[in-house]
């Protein structure tokens, strides 16, 4: 088999060697429980608080505003459920979100709707970006929470977070953002952005899986998630995953320190892919070309199935995705592509290529050669493409 080319970094990332090295002592040397009063325990406690401080510094938060969790999904669930419980006490009932959130947010909102909360889903238009004016118009006297993702995990579009934060602050509404795709990939300053709650996941920035954090601003109400010991300021009991937590903090520090360099390299490779793949007839880039993550390419090719494209790319050792890892295996087209107005048949022909600092120009040269060949091959066998050629069916893109 050819050497693997990994272009699914929005799905997960490789752990940085320096992170693995920083984690190892916690398994057999620094294995104390941070809650123990003896020497080993107190040393673990120091490392835990050091990790919290590092995480806080990376997003300009205070360290007691950082809660460690098991990942992005838990942080999202916790933030939303917590805000809703508090709102119920105050008799408030309305939440504003967007149509293309990650399922960790969307499914939590569905659960809250079943409990009687009302949710307004803002449109994201063809560019994949919410409009602040739509948010202002959607606000009601009983609106207590706005949850809008920082950057979309499928099409990489970056939302106007600072403007949204300002509007929420003016209206005294809690603002949560799922920043899982943004942390470690964009500069983030929670104070400047007026964010109240922000979700983080380690495995999206070359840290280990199964660990994340929730930033929760001082005075923002947060309900206890797990009962038991006094860990995480009495809000989430259970002995801390210290190796994971320290690994995450190390990974984020590296990502933030190297951000400019990595973004520059990724942008160059991303634009090369977009330029080359756009030469394929009847292809289209999904989401705004400018306001997008430096590592994200997402395109649709008319007349083919994304799944077939993925299988043939896999034969050449290329790991890509058709969209969200969570929807792979289901036949429904991506809710994100439908939200930006792609018709069902076009949404089925999608390809997501997401870069990391480890990708090389040589790899990208292989991709921009392989994709057009495979698309051409699949189109030759496609009855839909045949109909498009004969004019029985009209091109949409
Ligand atoms: C990956 C991802 C999540 C889920 O994070 P986990 O740590 O895998 O639970 C949530 N939101 C977004 C935008 C993501 O990309």
């Amino acid at each position: 088999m050819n050497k693997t080319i990994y272009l699914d970094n929005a799905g997960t990332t490789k752990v940085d060697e320096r992170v693995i090295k920083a984690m190892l002592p916690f398994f057999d040397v620094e294995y104390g429980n941070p809650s123990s009063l003896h020497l080993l325990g107190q040393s673990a406690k120091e490392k835990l608080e050091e990790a919290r401080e590092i995480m806080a510094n990376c997003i300009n938060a205070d360290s007691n505003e950082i809660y460690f969790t098991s990942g992005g999904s838990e942080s999202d669930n916790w933030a939303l459920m917590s805000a809703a419980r508090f709102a119920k006490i105050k008799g408030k009932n309305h939440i504003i979100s967007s149509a293309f959130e990650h399922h960790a947010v969307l499914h939590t909102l569905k659960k809250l709707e079943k409990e009687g909360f009302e949710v307004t889903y803002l449109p994201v238009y063809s560019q994949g970006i919410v409009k602040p004016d739509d948010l202002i118009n959607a606000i009601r006297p009983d609106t207590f929470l706005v949850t809008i993702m920082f950057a979309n995990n499928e099409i990489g579009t970056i939302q106007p977070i600072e403007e949204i934060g300002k509007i929420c602050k003016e209206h005294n509404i809690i603002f949560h953002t799922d920043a899982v795709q943004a942390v470690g990939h964009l500069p983030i300053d929670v104070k400047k952005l007026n964010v109240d709650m922000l979700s983080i996941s380690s495995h999206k920035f070359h840290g280990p899986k199964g660990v994340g954090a929730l930033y929760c601003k001082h005075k923002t109400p947060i309900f206890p998630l797990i009962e038991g010991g006094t860990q995480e300021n009495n809000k989430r009991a259970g002995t801390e995953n210290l190796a994971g937590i320290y690994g995450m903090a190390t990974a984020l520090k590296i990502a933030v320190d190297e951000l400019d360099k990595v973004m520059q390299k990724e942008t160059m490779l991303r634009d090369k892919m977009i330029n080359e793949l756009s030469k394929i007839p009847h292809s289209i880039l999904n989401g705004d070309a400018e306001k997008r993550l430096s590592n994200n390419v997402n395109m649709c090719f008319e007349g083919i199935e994304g799944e077939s494209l993925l299988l043939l790319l896999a034969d050449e050792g290329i790991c890509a995705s058709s969209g969200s890892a969570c929807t792979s295996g289901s036949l429904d087209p991506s809710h994100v592509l439908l939200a930006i107005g792609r018709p069902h048949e076009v949404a089925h022909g999608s390809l997501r290529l997401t870069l990391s600092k480890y990708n090389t120009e040589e790899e990208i040269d292989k991709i921009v050669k392989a994709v057009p060949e495979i698309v051409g091959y699949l189109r030759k066998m496609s009855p839909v493409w045949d109909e498009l050629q004969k004019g029985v069916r009209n091109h949409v893109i």
Side-chain angles (χ1 to χ4, degrees), residues 71-73 76 102 149 153 178 180-181 201 203-204:
S73 301
D76 285 344
H102 188 272
M149 68 198 322
N153 48 302
D178 174 343
V180 170
Q181 290 291 332
S201 175
H203 74 102
K204 302 292 175 74

Side-chain angles (χ1 to χ4, degrees), residues 78-343:
W78 192 7
L80 271 50
M81 296 305 285
S82 190
R85 272 185 65 180
F86 187 75
K88 210 163 207 170
I89 298 167
K90 292 197 148 187
K92 291 193 171 190
N93 202 47
H94 182 234
I95 302 168
I96 301 172
S97 188
S98 83
F100 74 167
E101 295 295 311
H102 188 272
H103 285 133
V105 166
L106 281 184
H107 291 175
T108 306
L109 291 174
K110 287 278 168 279
K111 186 158 116 178
L112 289 170
E113 282 181 289
K114 281 201 190 114
E115 287 177 22
F117 289 97
E118 284 178 65
V119 183
T120 300
Y121 298 93
L122 300 180
V124 295
Y125 302 94
S126 60
Q127 300 307 305
I129 297 172
V130 297
K131 290 189 178 158
D133 279 348
D134 286 343
L135 171 61
I136 294 171
N137 291 333
I139 292 173
R140 310 193 316 207
D142 65 338
T143 306
F144 64 91
L145 172 69
V146 169
T147 175
I148 294 185
M149 68 198 322
F150 208 120
N152 184 272
N153 48 302
E154 289 189 39
I155 59 174
T157 50
I158 301 164
Q159 306 306 307
I161 296 301
E162 190 168 356
E163 282 170 271
I164 295 169
K166 191 161 167 275
I167 295 164
C168 291
K169 192 179 179 190
E170 282 165 10
H171 291 80
N172 207 13
I173 297 167
I174 295 173
F175 176 33
H176 165 258
T177 184
D178 174 343
V180 170
Q181 290 291 332
V183 173
H185 297 271
L186 289 172
I188 291 180
D189 178 332
V190 288
K191 292 201 171 72
K192 184 164 151 244
L193 297 171
N194 280 310
V195 170
D196 298 307
M197 291 195 277
L198 178 142
S199 302
I200 299 174
S201 175
S202 157
H203 74 102
K204 302 292 175 74
F205 50 80
H206 307 288
K209 293 171 186 51
V211 58
L214 179 65
Y215 156 77
C216 187
K217 191 178 175 174
H218 292 300
K219 297 197 180 127
T220 305
I222 182 157
F223 279 81
L225 182 68
I226 301 176
E227 300 298 332
T230 60
Q231 291 91 351
E232 298 307 295
N233 199 18
N234 281 311
K235 300 289 194 278
R236 186 186 185 273
T239 302
E240 300 86 347
N241 168 15
L242 190 51
I245 289 168
Y246 203 82
M248 168 169 66
T250 307
L252 186 55
K253 175 86 170 58
I254 293 170
V256 168
D257 287 348
E258 299 177 353
L259 190 60
D260 288 344
K261 200 180 76 192
V262 173
M263 281 179 78
Q264 221 170 12
K265 179 184 174 191
E266 285 177 347
T267 303
M268 188 267 288
L269 297 178
R270 176 197 71 184
D271 291 343
K272 184 167 187 173
M273 281 201 281
I274 293 175
N275 288 336
E276 291 303 315
L277 299 183
S278 295
K279 292 177 187 163
I280 298 173
H282 304 285
S283 64
I284 193 164
L285 178 70
N286 293 314
D288 195 275
E290 306 292 328
K291 294 192 179 91
R292 77 188 295 130
L293 293 170
S294 54
N295 74 346
N296 180 292
V297 176
N298 188 316
M299 297 188 66
C300 282
F301 307 104
E302 210 174 5
I304 65 155
E305 289 288 335
E307 306 300 319
S308 320
L309 178 55
L310 284 188
L311 288 176
L312 293 176
L313 284 170
D315 284 346
E316 307 206 15
I318 298 165
C319 301
S321 158
S322 60
S324 162
C326 317
T327 40
S328 56
S330 92
L331 288 174
D332 294 335
S334 139
H335 70 289
V336 173
L337 297 180
L338 296 180
I340 62 166
R342 298 279 176 254

